Amino acid sequence: MPKPRVPATNAALKNLREAKGLTQADLAVKVGMAEGTISAYECGEPTLSKARLYEMMAMIDVGPELVDTFVEAQEVFDRQFLEPAIPLAHGVQAAIWTLATASGRVVHEALLEGMIAARASLDREEAAEVWQRLRAVEETKRRMMIESVPGVATWALVERLSIESIEEAPHRPDQALHLARLALSAAEAAPAAEELRGCLIGFAHGHIGNAWRVAGDLHAGKAAFAQARRFWPVGTLAPAGLLSEARLFDLEASLQRDLREFDEALALLDRALDLEGEGPAAGRLYLNQSAILEQQGDHEGSLEALRAAVPRIDESVEPRLYGGLLFNLCANLVDLSRFAEAYEILPGVRERFVAQGNDFELVRLSWLDGKIQEGQGRTEEAIATIDQVRKDFTFRKKPDDAALAGLDLAAIYLDAGRTAETRVLARQMAKVFGSFGIKREEFAAVRLFVEAAEQEMATVEMARRAAAAICAVRRAREADELRF
């Protein structure tokens, strides 16, 4: 069940204080109270009477009429989140329009945004708690709880379940689909105005489409995104900005990328970036853009997108994402044969991966180090480094990476005319294929290379082409894992 809301008078105290540009400490001095008392009132305990609010506000030159306006605005605002009949934010705008003349339009808009942000934050906290309770319930019973237990289905639960679906998608597509379908159930059951309900249902369908995409069913993914746009037409603003249309554009761009409709994918990301501006998701959008440009073979464009992402991701908040971003930056520099620049970045990436205790990423970093050694003419060092990396990937049961490292090593051998060693390596790679039962399409070029190496007909170009077939798929998957 939802928590009791902060009384309207207490919420009005906070809104009036902020409208006057005062901190809690400032207000405490002016009204002769302890700062802790002001803080307690704004948190809702104890309930602040209107008479006491009048007295406090009179001390900062706010008359009773404006106090009444703020209290009524808060009451309307609280109702519109719960009662579908009241259009989202419309009643609030009407109730506090007098602020346009009393304090200026800017204050009016800032107040409205502040009220929405505060209420949205509270709803999101509750949704996180509801999800923790749902997690403890059998999957088969979750939908029933969402649809039948009062107070469970809310707009914020739709958002929370969608976020959970995104986080599960790279690792457990089936669970991602389950969560996205729960989000749809919540969207259909949540109390909401018609406009908001359409956005909620469209938002959930978009995450269903993403789950299908990651599961490999691109046709089902495309159908889900068509449903998303039926309920949430392109260009429709979600009421009060509670949901981001940029998220739908981003997810659909990933689908178009997997369909190899790269121009369409980039156009969708451009729309997402226009909507997001300098918002918190901008860094991830540039990361997706980088992956798409790389698949197109535009390494310079991919590098530019990565550089745009760096200042938009806060390392203190998302250290793993930031470390992965620097790794991708280093990898793109290697792809562009800009080995000196990559070599400068490498120690910083290694330091971060060590701090995070990420052994697997350290192996991948050694792989990049081997490529840099090769590019700088340190051939024997490169061979030793990449061969050890290949063995580590095989031991860790990472066939994609083991095959790529093997192809890099084969290219070095072939470039040096060491065909006998290439043939031995090809046989080892064939054993890896057999042990893992690899049959995916992107490995067809690798099999051709292995067969050619057995006959001493393999070339460096064949090795690079086989590597590119795997690399495009792997980098796209990594971009998903990093972004979400």
Side-chain angles (χ1 to χ4, degrees):
M1 293 292 293
K3 296 177 182 176
R5 299 297 177 192
V6 174
T9 47
N10 296 58
L13 170 67
K14 178 176 184 294
N15 292 331
L16 283 160
R17 173 181 62 76
E18 292 179 346
K20 293 288 286 186
L22 301 175
T23 65
Q24 289 182 343
D26 294 334
L27 181 61
V29 170
K30 289 181 180 294
V31 301
M33 289 183 177
E35 183 180 347
T37 302
I38 301 296
S39 177
Y41 273 137
E42 291 188 2
C43 290
E45 296 178 359
T47 298
L48 182 63
S49 69
K50 188 176 283 191
R52 185 66 177 124
L53 182 58
Y54 285 153
E55 293 174 6
M56 293 171 66
M57 291 300 99
M59 296 179 190
I60 57 171
D61 299 321
V62 175
E65 289 185 3
L66 196 55
V67 170
D68 287 342
T69 297
F70 271 66
V71 173
E72 290 168 12
Q74 187 66 45
E75 291 171 346
V76 172
F77 181 79
D78 284 343
R79 290 201 307 275
Q80 59 83 21
F81 262 87
L82 297 174
E83 298 178 16
I86 302 176
L88 193 71
H90 177 73
V92 178
Q93 291 179 8
I96 64 177
W97 192 254
T98 54
L99 291 175
T101 54
S103 305
R105 176 70 182 274
V106 174
V107 173
H108 161 251
E109 292 181 345
L111 170 66
L112 180 57
E113 290 173 5
M115 292 169 71
I116 291 170
R119 176 57 189 266
S121 177
L122 180 60
D123 284 356
R124 286 178 173 123
E125 288 177 14
E126 290 183 358
E129 294 177 9
V130 168
W131 166 235
Q132 290 306 315
R133 294 201 298 273
L134 287 172
R135 287 181 66 175
V137 176
E138 294 178 20
E139 287 189 8
T140 54
K141 295 181 180 178
R142 291 173 181 171
R143 181 175 177 180
M144 179 188 69
M145 287 185 63
I146 287 170
E147 294 176 345
S148 61
V149 178
V152 170
T154 62
W155 75 268
L157 183 64
V158 176
E159 183 185 69
R160 166 51 52 189
L161 291 169
S162 298
I163 291 170
E164 296 293 334
S165 174
I166 287 290
E167 292 180 355
E168 290 286 356
H171 315 290
R172 297 198 296 167
D174 57 335
Q175 182 67 6
L177 185 59
H178 165 70
L179 291 167
R181 284 172 169 164
L182 284 182
L184 179 59
S185 295
E188 293 170 341
E194 184 178 347
E195 239 183 300
L196 177 58
R197 186 180 306 285
C199 292
L200 288 170
I201 293 174
F203 196 71
H205 275 297
H207 288 78
I208 290 173
N210 184 67
W212 279 124
R213 174 189 71 82
V214 177
D217 192 336
L218 302 185
H219 178 75
K222 195 169 183 177
F225 276 105
Q227 281 287 84
R229 286 310 180 186
R230 185 166 75 85
F231 286 96
W232 188 347
V234 170
T236 302
L237 294 177
L242 292 179
L243 301 172
S244 171
E245 189 183 11
R247 168 66 69 84
L248 284 186
F249 283 132
D250 184 25
L251 295 179
E252 191 172 2
S254 294
L255 174 70
Q256 295 297 336
R257 179 198 68 201
D258 289 359
L259 288 166
R260 305 193 69 78
E261 297 289 343
F262 297 125
D263 290 341
E264 178 63 22
L266 290 172
L268 287 164
L269 281 178
D270 284 342
R271 300 189 75 158
L273 284 164
D274 285 344
L275 287 171
E276 187 66 20
E278 291 300 314
R284 285 176 166 80
L285 292 172
Y286 279 113
L287 199 57
N288 196 7
Q289 186 183 68
S290 170
I292 293 168
L293 290 167
E294 184 178 358
Q295 282 188 268
Q296 279 189 303
D298 183 358
H299 291 287
E300 288 287 358
S302 177
L303 184 64
E304 184 180 345
L306 286 172
R307 291 195 187 281
V310 170
R312 292 173 170 85
I313 293 174
D314 187 343
E315 182 175 12
S316 65
V317 176
E318 300 180 291
R320 179 181 174 274
L321 178 64
Y322 193 83
L325 176 56
L326 292 184
F327 178 92
N328 282 2
L329 192 63
C330 190
N332 269 264
L333 288 168
V334 169
D335 289 338
L336 289 165
S337 300
R338 292 161 63 172
F339 301 110
E341 293 175 70
Y343 185 73
E344 289 181 9
I345 296 174
L346 201 68
V349 183
R350 179 176 284 112
E351 182 181 336
R352 287 170 171 83
F353 286 171
V354 168
Q356 294 168 17
N358 199 329
D359 292 340
F360 177 67
E361 294 300 331
L362 284 169
V363 175
R364 296 182 65 222
L365 197 62
S366 293
W367 183 10
L368 271 187
D369 196 9
K371 290 185 173 186
I372 292 170
Q373 291 165 356
E374 178 196 0
Q376 294 178 331
R378 296 180 282 152
T379 304
E380 292 306 318
E381 288 181 61
I383 288 173
T385 300
I386 296 175
D387 191 35
Q388 183 58 51
V389 166
R390 180 182 65 86
K391 291 173 182 175
D392 285 345
F393 282 144
T394 302
F395 176 75
R396 292 169 182 268
K397 298 183 179 180
K398 296 289 183 179
D400 297 37
D401 293 312
L404 280 169
L407 290 165
D408 286 338
L409 186 56
I412 297 173
Y413 284 150
L414 289 167
D415 201 40
R418 294 158 68 166
T419 55
E421 287 163 288
T422 304
R423 187 170 63 253
V424 172
L425 176 61
R427 288 172 181 168
Q428 293 172 348
M429 291 172 66
K431 287 182 180 178
V432 172
F433 280 101
S435 64
F436 289 112
I438 298 171
K439 296 180 181 180
R440 297 201 303 274
E441 182 181 347
E442 63 266 25
F443 283 94
V446 183
R447 288 196 182 83
L448 290 175
F449 172 80
V450 169
E451 292 169 5
E454 280 285 356
Q455 300 171 35
E456 297 191 1
M457 295 175 63
T459 65
V460 173
E461 178 58 30
M462 288 178 67
R464 299 298 187 207
R465 191 164 57 245
I470 304 173
C471 201
V473 175
R474 185 174 61 84
R475 286 276 178 88
R477 185 176 66 243
E478 287 171 357
D480 279 350
E481 291 175 354
L482 275 180
R483 283 160 56 224
F484 304 124

